[in-house]
Each structure stands twice: as structure tokens, then as C-alpha cells.
Amino acid sequence: MAKTLDCSNILFSVEKERVDIHQLRELFDITAFWAKSRSLEDLRIAVEYSDPVVTVWDGDRMIGFTRGTSDGIFRATIWDVVIHPDYQGLGLGRKLVETLISHPRMNRVERIYLMTTHQQKFYERIGFQENQTITMVLHNHDHPVSVISCSLEEASPLPV
């Protein structure tokens, strides 16, 4: 049986400044097992460095969120797609993803990647395909990279 809910007040926004970090953390706590331990400061930084960011609102209540990172032409990644459980099954998640990928920072990109644990079928209905190429990951906190500092004065001149 399909859900029915009055969606006449639903608004999609691409204004990053509109993101309410407190509501975002609450939304993650309710919907995303993989994002429950994120601090307000970490969420603020993630939103700041993401472009585009899309939110979904029912009045003053943030009920959906996603963000992307992109070079604008070759590669992009979708992160953190969430819709409040009370609003799932209404097509808002699909519209959220479609709003993100139609944004000028994403709509010309050759390949858009996303990572998902349990929602492959949802993304396949939007047009995503399973990626069989090799993907690697570095858990930066487990293997910190040493930064070597070198000033120009210390560097020897290059031979001509």
C-alpha cells in the first residue's frame, strides 16, 4: 500500500547556507547507521567543502539531505543521501538525487560515483550501475601520512 502524505509544503533547496547542522545531525541519527557518530563540527566542515548541497524541507523541518563533490567535468561523488523515515516511499529520495545530479556542478560530469551499503536497487532505478572496476580506499586515521616540509631556500638549484 502506497504512503499518502501532503507534500504541498515540500521544498528542495540548493542553498548551502540553509543547512541546519543540528537538524542534519538529528536526521543522520534517525536514518543513517553509518553517520551516527559525526560531530557538529565535522558536519559543518563536510557541508562547507561540498558543492552542491541539496536539502529537503517540510516547513522549517529538514527532512532530506545529500551532498556532492565534483571537478565539474570528469568525476563526481554523491555522499550522504538521507530522507527522514516518515517521508520515505514518496519519491523524495529519487528527486533529491536527481536534483543533485542536475546541478551545474554535476550535470556535465562524465562519471558520478556513490557508495551504498544496502540501497543498490534504489539507485539502479535512477540509472546507476554496479561498478566492477577496482576501487581502493585509504583509512587516513589508521595510516597517517607524514608531511615533509621543505622551503625554497633549502632546495638545491636544478641543473640547466
Side-chain angles (χ1 to χ4, degrees), residues 8-154:
S8 61
N9 293 328
I10 303 296
L11 172 74
F12 285 74
S13 174
V14 293
E15 297 174 22
K16 189 188 304 193
E17 307 76 36
R18 185 156 189 200
V19 175
D20 179 323
I21 296 299
H22 294 277
Q23 286 194 54
L24 179 57
R25 184 168 69 178
E26 183 179 315
L27 186 60
F28 279 151
D29 287 346
I30 293 168
T31 62
F33 69 90
W34 37 263
K36 287 186 186 292
S37 64
R38 294 181 179 175
S39 71
L40 291 173
E41 178 62 11
D42 288 348
L43 289 173
R44 185 193 64 71
I45 291 168
V47 169
E48 179 181 335
Y49 286 101
S50 298
D51 187 21
V53 173
V54 182
T55 52
V56 186
W57 298 85
D58 185 357
D60 292 336
R61 181 181 184 198
M62 187 166 51
I63 61 165
F65 174 87
T66 191
R67 63 190 180 90
T69 52
S70 174
D71 62 17
I73 196 73
F74 297 113
R75 300 292 184 268
T77 305
I78 296 175
W79 307 99
D80 301 333
V81 179
V82 291
I83 294 287
H84 191 283
D86 293 347
Y87 295 83
Q88 291 177 5
L90 301 171
L92 298 175
R94 179 185 188 106
K95 183 169 170 98
L96 178 64
V97 173
E98 289 173 346
T99 301
L100 185 76
I101 62 179
S102 67
H103 187 278
R105 292 277 299 177
M106 304 279 277
N107 68 3
R108 292 183 56 214
V109 172
E110 183 180 278
R111 290 192 183 165
I112 300 174
Y113 295 95
L114 67 86
M115 279 64 81
T116 183
T117 308
H118 303 293
Q119 299 300 325
Q120 289 83 355
K121 296 292 182 206
F122 167 76
Y123 292 106
E124 285 172 359
R125 287 192 300 269
I126 297 172
F128 284 86
Q129 302 170 0
E130 209 172 311
N131 182 12
Q132 298 298 325
T133 61
I134 296 175
T135 302
M136 299 178 75
V137 64
L138 170 68
H139 295 275
N140 207 24
H141 295 291
D142 296 336
H143 302 283
V145 177
S146 299
V147 177
I148 299 172
S149 176
C150 177
S151 69
L152 291 176
E153 294 84 69
E154 296 172 8

